[in-house]
Amino acid sequence: MARFTRLMLIGAFAALAIPAAAPAQNSSGQAEAQAAPVIPPPPAGMGQVVFYRSSRMGFAISCRVHENGQVVNRLPPGKYFIHSTTPGAHAYSVRSEATDVIRVEVEEGETQYVRCAIGMGIGVGRPNLSPQSREDFDRRGRGLDLMPPFVAGSDD
Amino acid sequence: MRVLIGLALALGGMAGAAQAQAAPCCTIAAETAVRIEIVAPVSSRSSRTGQLFAIRLAEPILVDGRALVPAGAAGIGEVVHAARRGGGGTPGELILAARYLDHGGVRIALHKLRFARSGADGRIGFVVGYPASYLLTTPGGHVDVPAGTILQALVAAPVTLPAPD
């Protein structure tokens, strides 16, 4: 048994510890050199929420944002989208083996930022929506591409 | 007759003066910036969505150089969203809003507090071994807002107050 344990310890060479939401990198590692996308102000009388997913972690896990049971848009790694909406309280959710909900208060003329990151679940990765600042978007949003509007019936 | 008319005019003038004295004199414009202080700690460890918390005015609200609302005026904030950190590396989350300040029974509605934070991300590590490999995570961080934290909000709508003493 001791030999078995020793073998296990010797064999354990790992430890690739990475943040759950490491910044996106393109193939040439140029992501750091790029600036975060410029976010235009919301339309008159509206507010907006910028959803972004900067990490390649859990690239196979869907981060499809819903509100009131309807898909707002999907969010593959390295993408962002701008959701213009009416001022007031809104609840957005993402689902895998569990549902994560974030409640935000959108105010007229204001932009809120929400990041999707993939945490660990029991069976599969678990997407999580978290409130963020403009500074976080500027830092992690380098090299993100705009996600086109969601079309019902499209695949992840 | 002249005496009566003079008396009536005098009384009218006095009433007008009294009315002017009681009438509100000063208006705080919408979108005026106010600095507020968190009275008791708020944290993603223990706060719940919808929970109210105490705030107070950190600096007086000045209009034309006059302190219309003194520092210390009490008010209320609300936790718009709170989530505890998760074992899978997800951080704690906290979104706060300032609702209003109270001054002499008049509510001064506030908005645009701009406090939306999450803690540090947890870490995910792979330990590759024989006969099994392991996936390890550390939990994300909390969001703690200590008492005494100063934040900025804006006045949501114009409000007229009586002249300060």
Side-chain angles (χ1 to χ4, degrees):
Chain A
M1 184 63 187
R3 184 168 175 244
F4 180 74
T5 306
R6 200 162 49 243
L7 270 175
M8 249 184 71
L9 289 173
I10 292 169
F13 64 90
L16 171 62
I18 54 173
Q25 291 283 332
N26 61 22
S27 56
S28 57
Q30 297 296 313
E32 286 295 315
Q34 299 174 18
V38 175
I39 305 298
M46 304 282 276
Q48 64 189 9
V49 184
V50 175
F51 292 88
Y52 60 104
R53 183 174 174 186
S54 55
S55 173
R56 302 285 180 197
M57 184 73 193
F59 63 90
I61 308 296
S62 167
C63 187
R64 195 180 276 238
V65 181
H66 294 75
E67 184 181 20
N68 298 324
Q70 303 293 313
V71 178
V72 176
N73 206 338
R74 57 200 177 91
L75 201 54
K79 300 283 187 183
Y80 76 99
F81 68 85
I82 303 169
H83 174 56
S84 296
T85 190
T86 52
H90 295 265
Y92 300 102
S93 63
V94 285
R95 288 183 293 217
S96 63
E97 62 182 13
T99 299
D100 182 59
V101 179
I102 185 169
R103 293 165 191 82
V104 298
E105 231 175 59
V106 178
E107 305 207 50
E108 184 179 341
E110 282 216 317
T111 301
Q112 309 266 351
Y113 295 87
V114 173
R115 179 162 59 93
C116 180
I118 307 298
M120 281 307 302
I122 295 170
V124 294
R126 190 177 287 184
N128 179 67
L129 296 175
S130 62
Q132 298 294 338
S133 61
R134 171 68 205 237
E135 289 72 28
D136 186 84
F137 179 74
D138 286 342
R139 186 163 53 88
R140 296 181 195 264
R142 293 169 180 156
L144 294 185
D145 295 319
L146 182 64
M147 187 68 192
F150 176 74
V151 178
S154 64
D155 296 320
D156 255 335
Chain B
M1 185 61 182
R2 282 182 186 169
V3 172
L4 283 174
I5 291 171
L7 190 60
L9 285 173
L11 284 172
M14 283 169 65
Q19 204 171 20
Q21 199 171 15
C25 83
C26 311
T27 299
I28 303 170
E31 307 303 313
T32 298
V34 295
R35 290 171 68 76
I36 61 155
E37 178 184 345
I38 304 293
V39 174
V42 183
S43 173
S44 61
R45 302 166 197 258
S46 54
S47 297
R48 296 282 177 273
T49 298
Q51 185 179 327
L52 303 179
F53 58 91
I55 59 174
R56 66 181 161 223
L57 188 61
E59 295 172 5
I61 301 176
L62 303 174
V63 175
D64 296 331
R66 304 171 77 178
L68 279 195
V69 185
I76 291 293
E78 183 177 350
V79 178
V80 173
H81 170 79
R84 290 184 180 185
R85 69 180 187 178
T90 55
E93 301 162 0
L94 206 52
I95 301 178
L96 305 181
R99 294 304 183 207
Y100 66 86
L101 292 167
D102 185 281
H103 178 57
V106 178
R107 280 192 177 186
I108 304 165
L110 301 176
H111 69 162
K112 297 185 180 174
L113 183 66
R114 297 191 181 103
F115 186 97
R117 308 257 169 91
S118 60
D121 291 315
R123 300 183 81 83
I124 299 175
F126 302 95
V127 178
V128 183
Y130 175 81
S133 299
Y134 302 91
L135 196 51
L136 303 173
T137 64
T138 60
H142 300 287
V143 183
D144 294 309
V145 186
T149 299
I150 306 291
L151 299 168
Q152 180 176 293
L154 302 181
V155 172
V159 57
T160 302
L161 297 170
D165 293 332

